[in-house]
Amino acid sequence: MADRQNIVGRGSELARLHRAVGEVRANGRGRLVLVEGEPGIGKSRLVGCLADEVLERGELVAWGACRETEGAPPYWPWTQVLRAILPANGLAGAASDPVLTPLLQPGAASAQPDRFLLFDAVSRALAERSRRSGLVVILDDLHGSDD
């Protein structure tokens, strides 16, 4: 992950991320934070610093990255996130949900599930996992996401 000692000029941005996570811890409601900027300015590194601190508190970080090249299965970053939050021995209900099968095992099902049902199943899995401990989901390189 990122080296917090060597991050320069991003103190206010990191503080804003800390405030957002603190608010979630305080009120128990999820929150979306978008980090934007030009390529190469350190967005992933900034978020990596936050991820390191969340992990040090014993909370879970699930990181999904969009691929800028063709060939990745649909919803690839969500596949990565679900694989991180659905260990083989936990959340058996979500892991065995047939709607999530195309995300957990790309290529296993030929037909794509209804998008609404898929989004609902993912949000339920995230909510269920977040009740067990803190959870930060990072979706990196969203500009490379599929439709």
Side-chain angles (χ1 to χ4, degrees):
M1 291 284 168
D3 181 2
R4 280 178 276 165
Q5 273 80 31
N6 292 325
I7 193 162
V8 176
R10 296 286 183 245
S12 65
E13 292 88 349
L14 191 55
R16 289 174 77 181
L17 292 174
H18 284 138
R19 278 194 303 276
V21 170
E23 289 170 10
V24 169
R25 286 182 184 126
N27 68 27
R29 297 183 62 203
R31 174 114 188 238
L32 172 70
V33 177
L34 179 65
V35 178
E36 66 173 341
E38 295 297 319
I41 65 167
K43 298 177 297 293
S44 296
R45 187 164 182 215
L46 173 70
V47 176
C49 286
L50 178 74
D52 287 346
E53 294 172 20
V54 168
L55 289 168
E56 286 173 6
R57 289 182 61 108
E59 297 169 342
L60 180 63
V61 174
W63 199 302
C66 299
R67 302 227 9 187
E68 294 187 56
T69 59
E70 291 185 30
Y75 310 112
W76 181 243
W78 290 109
T79 296
Q80 295 167 312
V81 166
L82 286 172
R83 286 177 178 169
I85 70 166
L86 298 174
N89 61 352
L91 298 175
S96 63
D97 186 331
V99 175
L100 294 178
T101 299
L103 292 184
L104 295 171
Q105 300 171 5
S110 58
Q112 287 293 326
D114 176 88
R115 284 174 57 133
F116 177 82
L117 295 177
L118 180 63
F119 296 164
D120 183 57
V122 170
S123 65
R124 281 186 285 114
L126 292 171
E128 183 179 346
R129 181 56 180 91
S130 69
R131 282 191 284 275
R132 297 167 103 199
S133 71
L135 171 64
V136 171
V137 174
I138 299 170
L139 299 176
D140 203 4
D141 294 328
L142 283 177
H143 63 277
S145 66
D146 58 39
D147 291 339

